[in-house]
């Protein structure tokens, strides 16, 4: 560069990168959650992971793993089928770091308090990278299904919980650690799993599967819980990628999805052709068998989204602190303070909800029936609501960075593409809402558990708002079309109750004032009857009128 060119290129008023900090040590909310859960033993691991998450090295790996996306090799050079996904080395670095830290395993190995301690680690991990979070979550959640299949569990559990990352395509017995996926969705439907068309036929003690799966993430995992049809109905099976004799099971990866976000993680379409499988649970009971895995995955999504909101907020605050406009730092402008404060309330209430649930999971492990009810009932409600809030939070945080937020070097750009995904998988919004309505109808104690949690906030406004949701719920003509309003209101009331108990007074007051009286905040919450809703939608259809 010539001196003349350099002279015109003075860089001013640009923000230093947000890196080189301890994402655990710097986070008072997270440290308070760990203290409330009485798990001080996780602090050393949380500081170590927090330092890693905040390091430029880890940030660089996260960027590379998402920029250089996985590639599928269906055949080797001499035409043999290999069905191998090649990841960028940074993906392996990240997986290795997370699994070595027990981000997938701690809940099952360290009781009491393991769910809360692990949630702290997973909350931190989601401030770094979400593509790796997918196999970490599925591996964590798989234990809930292994626990229903004692023989399979005896073989696989120790390797699932081994805190080792071993990506070699070898049989489980030869590996230091394994990861687990799940393959349920087919072309004709993902929400309605009763439509599964894959067929299973017996082969001695084992089974052979034939069919396709339309979405199968992390296809290099070592085993998959999957669904296939037998005469009794849809049934759960376990498909290992390698067979005990060392050969590869038939697991034909047809192509990888080209996704909006979550790009470091391969998501594939696969075919089973006479694929060897073991049955899990009773024939015809596949969906209830897999529900426990889906439930734990939903819990992880809540913790993950809370972590994603935390990192969005951190970047917005950091930028506003260092960037000047119109003569002063952005953070000192009254209107920007309003945006930042609102983001902070959202992220804090999300973290409180996530760690309250983690505590309920821990209490349930210790045999507390009321807390078991709470975690069962609140998990889908919180999953629905935090996923709905994630996209507006990512968008606002991005806007705080102005143009710098909209370029690929910015973490916000990746976070923005990531934001809607958790709302789609593991039960998209409407499906979750309908599940919750059915659960409330089946077991009134589920709703009771949420009501008790709301009441613990001891605040008349919160109680009044919750009553409005309960009234809708009791109205059979309104309950289904108003289900989003019901779930949103219950979630916000639990968050308000938690803010009253655990946040600072003014923040709790601001949360209640802005969230309880404002009415609904998401699309799909119009207060109209079925005919009114249909008429509006029909008027908008192409060709109408
Ligand atoms: C990146 C990515 C990775 C994935 N990885 C996996 C994986 O590893 N394994 C796996 O099994 N699946 C995976 N999935 C699939 C995912 O779980 C499904 O996409 C999801 O379950 C929704 O199913 P669907 O796509 O068939 O949509 P549909 O079931 O067709 O639903 C479409 C829309 O209709 C709504 N809807 C459905 N029924 C009703 C109703 N009764 N009333 C009102 N609204 C309704 C839904 O809420 C949704 O908004 C992945 C998806 C993505 C995007």
């Amino acid at each position: 560069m010539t001196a003349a060119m350099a002279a015109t290129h003075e860089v001013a008023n640009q923000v230093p990168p947000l890196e080189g900090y301890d994402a655990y040590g710097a986070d008072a909310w997270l440290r308070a959650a760990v203290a409330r859960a009485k798990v001080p033993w996780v602090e050393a691991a949380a500081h170590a992971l927090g330092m890693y998450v905040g390091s430029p090295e880890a940030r660089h790996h996260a960027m590379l793993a998402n920029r250089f996306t996985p590639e599928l090799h269906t055949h080797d050079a001499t035409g043999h089928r290999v069905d191998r996904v090649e990841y960028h080395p940074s993906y392996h670095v990240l997986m290795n770091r997370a699994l070595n830290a027990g981000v997938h395993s701690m809940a099952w190995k360290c009781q009491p308090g393991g769910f809360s301690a692990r949630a702290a680690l997973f909350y931190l991990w989601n401030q770094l990278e979400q593509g790796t979070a997918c196999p970490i979550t599925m591996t964590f959640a798989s234990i809930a299904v292994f626990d229903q299949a004692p023989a399979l569990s005896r073989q696989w559990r120790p390797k699932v919980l081994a805190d080792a990352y071993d990506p070699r395509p070898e049989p489980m017995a030869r590996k230091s650690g394994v990861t687990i996926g799940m393959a349920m969705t087919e072309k004709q439907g993902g929400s309605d799993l009763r439509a599964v068309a894959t067929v299973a036929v017996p082969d001695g003690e084992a089974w052979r599967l034939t069919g396709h799966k339309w979405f199968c993430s992390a296809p290099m995992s070592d085993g998959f819980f999957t669904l296939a049809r037998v005469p009794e109905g849809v049934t759960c099976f376990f498909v290992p990628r390698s067979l005990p004799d060392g050969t590869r099971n038939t697991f034909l990866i047809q192509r990888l999805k080209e996704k909006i976000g979550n790009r470091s993680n391969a998501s594939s379409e696969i075919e089973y052709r006479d694929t060897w499988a073991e049955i899990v649970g009773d024939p015809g009971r596949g969906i209830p068998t897999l529900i426990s895995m889906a439930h734990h995955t939903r819990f992880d999504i809540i913790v993950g989204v809370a972590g994603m909101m935390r990192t969005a907020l951190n970047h917005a605050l950091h930028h506003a602190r260092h960037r000047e406009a119109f003569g002063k730092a952005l953070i000192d402008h009254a209107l920007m303070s309003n945006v930042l404060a609102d983001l902070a309330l959202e992220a804090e209430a999300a973290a409180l909800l996530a760690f309250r649930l983690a505590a309920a999971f821990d209490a349930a492990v210790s045999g507390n029936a009321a807390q078991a009810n709470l975690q069962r009932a609140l998990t889908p409600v919180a999953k629905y609501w935090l996923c709905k809030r994630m996209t507006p939070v990512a968008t606002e945080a991005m806007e705080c960075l102005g143009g710098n937020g909209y370029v690929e070097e910015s973490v916000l750009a990746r976070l923005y593409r990531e934001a809607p995904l958790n709302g789609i998988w593991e039960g998209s919004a409407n499906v979750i809402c309908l599940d919750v309505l059915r659960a409330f109808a089946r077991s009134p104690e589920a709703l009771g558990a949420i009501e008790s949690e709301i009441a613990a906030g001891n605040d008349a406004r919160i109680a009044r708002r919750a009553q409005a949701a309960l009234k809708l719920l009791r109205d059979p003509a309104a309950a289904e079309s108003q289900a989003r309003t019901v779930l949103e209101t219950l979630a916000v009331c639990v968050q308000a109750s938690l803010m009253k108990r655990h946040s600072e007074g003014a923040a709790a007051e601001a949360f209640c004032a802005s969230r309880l009286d404002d009415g609904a905040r998401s699309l799909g919450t119009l207060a109209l009857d079925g005919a009114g809703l249909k008429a509006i939608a029909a008027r908008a259809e192409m060709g109408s009128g």
Side-chain angles (χ1 to χ4, degrees):
M1 189 183 294
T2 65
M5 280 171 75
T8 64
H9 196 90
E10 195 178 315
V11 178
N13 196 25
Q14 285 285 22
V15 174
L18 174 58
E19 57 192 24
Y21 67 101
D22 172 0
Y24 177 69
D27 187 340
W29 302 339
L30 180 55
R31 285 187 280 112
V34 165
R36 270 197 305 279
K38 299 189 175 58
V39 287
W41 47 264
V42 80
E43 290 226 296
H47 277 296
L49 199 66
M51 291 296 292
Y52 184 70
V53 163
S55 70
E57 174 205 348
R59 299 279 162 100
H60 193 58
H61 283 308
M63 187 274 288
L64 290 175
N66 282 278
R67 173 160 293 182
F68 302 102
T69 53
E71 270 183 29
L72 173 62
H73 303 281
T74 52
H75 297 79
D76 68 10
T78 51
H80 301 97
R81 190 99 206 190
V82 286
D83 298 289
R84 187 170 64 84
V85 176
E86 185 177 4
Y87 295 87
H88 188 273
S90 286
Y91 174 85
H92 295 299
V93 169
L94 293 173
M95 284 295 286
N96 193 48
R97 186 68 180 79
L99 295 197
N100 276 300
V103 181
H104 64 303
S105 66
M106 191 176 271
W108 309 105
K109 296 205 297 195
C110 307
Q111 281 296 334
F115 276 89
S116 300
R118 181 193 163 271
L121 301 186
F122 195 63
Y123 180 83
L124 289 168
W125 192 260
N126 275 274
Q127 296 178 41
L128 177 62
E129 213 281 317
Q130 283 77 42
T132 45
C134 170
I136 292 167
T137 285
M138 290 195 290
T139 304
F140 151 71
S142 71
I143 293 292
V145 189
F146 279 122
D147 282 353
Q148 300 173 55
L152 197 64
S153 182
R154 266 194 299 281
Q155 295 171 47
W156 285 81
R157 201 177 201 272
K159 293 286 168 81
V160 175
L161 301 183
D163 292 353
Y165 179 56
D166 184 346
R168 291 172 307 140
E170 294 284 335
M172 175 269 291
R174 290 187 215 146
K175 297 188 61 158
S176 52
V178 297
T179 55
I180 305 294
M182 61 174 155
M184 302 183 295
T185 306
E186 299 185 354
K187 293 187 185 78
Q188 67 280 1
S191 307
D192 187 0
L193 294 171
R194 294 166 308 179
V196 159
T198 296
V199 172
V201 292
D203 178 18
E205 296 276 281
W207 294 75
R208 296 278 170 183
L209 310 189
T210 300
H212 69 265
K213 297 291 166 185
W214 183 233
F215 271 96
C216 173
S217 292
M220 293 306 284
S221 302
D222 297 282
F224 293 84
F225 287 106
T226 194
L227 293 173
R229 190 167 286 286
V230 301
E232 291 85 346
V234 174
T235 302
C236 180
F237 291 89
F238 183 69
V239 172
R241 272 306 296 275
S242 289
L243 298 171
D245 65 7
T247 57
R248 293 293 263 174
N249 203 359
T250 309
F251 191 92
L252 307 172
I253 306 177
Q254 306 297 35
R255 61 173 170 165
L256 298 187
K257 303 282 195 187
E258 211 171 304
K259 294 176 292 183
I260 295 174
N262 206 252
R263 294 172 72 92
S264 67
N265 177 31
S267 297
S268 63
E269 294 165 21
I270 61 160
E271 297 266 350
Y272 299 133
R273 254 181 241 159
D274 238 11
T275 300
W276 191 92
E278 287 185 61
I279 193 165
V280 180
D282 293 329
R285 300 284 301 157
I287 297 169
T289 303
L290 270 186
I291 274 178
S292 56
M293 185 164 175
H295 183 68
H296 284 79
T297 312
R298 288 175 181 181
F299 162 64
D300 240 24
I301 286 173
I302 295 158
V303 178
V305 169
M308 289 163 70
M309 286 188 184
R310 185 39 149 159
T311 203
L313 171 67
N314 290 347
H315 282 276
L317 286 168
H318 177 77
H319 188 89
R321 166 76 56 209
H322 289 92
R323 176 85 169 177
E324 287 191 5
F326 301 97
K328 56 184 177 182
L330 288 172
I331 203 164
D332 294 327
H333 288 271
L335 189 48
M336 181 57 97
S337 309
N338 197 332
V339 175
L340 294 169
D342 214 0
L343 283 172
L345 292 178
E346 200 68 36
E348 183 179 6
L352 285 172
L353 188 54
F355 285 98
R356 177 65 188 91
L357 261 174
F361 271 82
D362 276 325
V365 172
S366 313
N368 183 324
Q371 294 298 299
N373 276 332
L374 181 66
Q375 61 90 343
R376 267 196 297 275
L378 189 56
T379 296
V381 173
K383 194 269 187 190
Y384 163 76
W385 181 235
L386 293 201
C387 291
K388 275 282 160 266
R389 296 305 288 156
M390 185 61 231
T391 303
V393 166
T395 310
E396 281 301 345
M398 177 187 273
E399 196 170 320
C400 291
L401 272 70
N404 285 355
Y406 198 68
V407 296
E408 283 300 333
E409 288 99 327
S410 151
V411 170
L412 266 307
R414 202 170 75 234
L415 210 58
Y416 174 77
R417 287 200 305 267
E418 208 67 55
L421 176 55
N422 280 312
I424 292 176
W425 59 18
E426 289 311 331
S428 34
N430 290 353
V431 170
I432 291 253
C433 289
L434 298 174
D435 273 2
V436 169
L437 293 194
R438 278 189 294 270
F440 286 169
R442 227 179 15 246
S443 41
E445 67 276 13
L447 184 57
I450 293 182
E451 286 182 77
S452 306
E453 189 61 24
I454 291 170
N458 201 16
D459 183 299
R461 276 172 312 176
I462 306 177
R464 258 199 316 277
R465 193 84 183 95
Q467 280 310 318
L470 299 178
K471 192 165 162 231
L472 277 178
L473 200 56
R474 282 191 293 267
D475 177 358
E480 182 171 334
S481 71
Q482 300 304 310
R484 286 186 177 213
T485 305
V486 171
L487 264 70
E488 168 174 332
T489 307
L490 291 176
V492 168
C493 288
V494 173
Q495 286 183 312
S497 165
L498 290 166
M499 288 289 284
K500 291 283 290 186
R501 283 175 279 160
H502 304 302
S503 182
E504 179 265 332
E509 182 50 40
F511 185 91
C512 291
S514 58
R515 270 73 172 165
L516 292 174
D517 303 332
D518 260 11
R521 284 200 160 209
S522 67
L523 292 170
T525 49
L526 294 174
L528 293 175
D529 65 14
L533 295 167
K534 275 206 172 113
I536 292 174
R539 236 185 97 242
E541 276 195 78
M542 300 288 281
S544 70

